[in-house]
Amino acid sequence: MNSRHRMIGGVLAVVLTVPALGGCGTSNREWIGDKYNRTGPDTYRSSKAPQAVASEISRKFKPIDRVDNLATRGSTGGIFLQYPKLVVGVLPTGSGSRITVDTPRRGYSRYHSHVGGVWRSPGSNGWTSSGVASFRGGGPGSGK
């Protein structure tokens, strides 16, 4: 391969790599904030039904677990997505959805009546990727 072809190949690789990296580093919280209309602190609104919103979020960020009790609880139910460092609640409101984004402890506490029999209580550092409580390691002399 001559140097001109190598240069074109290198430029093409850079051009193709940059857009692919554009989505890197976007957190669940940031993405939800950009996609849906903010109505309050860590609370958003969508004109779409909860099932559609939860599917959009789940396609973008695969949850550890999902609890959907809309069929059994109707308008008092919701769809709850468990992530290592977040709980996303998608609840029906009017013809659309209210979306909440909480820390693991706050979300677990807020939605305990929905997820308490399914999810374990989070640790001080949320959950591991398998949904087990995650704790931060102690410093020197911890555990003595």
Side-chain angles (χ1 to χ4, degrees), residues 23-115:
C24 292
T26 301
S27 73
N28 311 42
R29 188 181 298 270
E30 290 169 340
W31 186 84
I32 290 169
D34 289 343
K35 181 138 181 87
Y36 303 105
N37 298 317
R38 185 180 173 161
T39 60
D42 297 320
T43 305
Y44 305 88
R45 170 117 173 79
S46 172
S47 60
K48 297 176 183 175
Q51 295 88 341
V53 172
S55 290
E56 287 176 345
I57 296 168
S58 295
R59 274 194 304 273
K60 181 68 178 174
F61 299 99
K62 184 174 176 13
I64 296 168
D65 198 11
R66 172 185 170 126
V67 171
D68 179 347
N69 60 13
L70 285 170
T72 56
R73 291 197 180 184
S75 63
T76 63
I79 301 171
F80 308 94
L81 306 174
Q82 179 189 40
Y83 293 96
K85 305 270 187 200
L86 290 176
V87 171
V88 177
V90 185
L91 305 119
T93 182
S95 62
S97 300
R98 179 170 57 97
I99 304 135
T100 61
V101 181
D102 290 304
T103 63
R105 283 197 174 172
R106 182 173 170 206
Y108 183 82
S109 177
R110 183 194 299 226
Y111 298 120
H112 185 267
S113 64
H114 300 275
V115 301

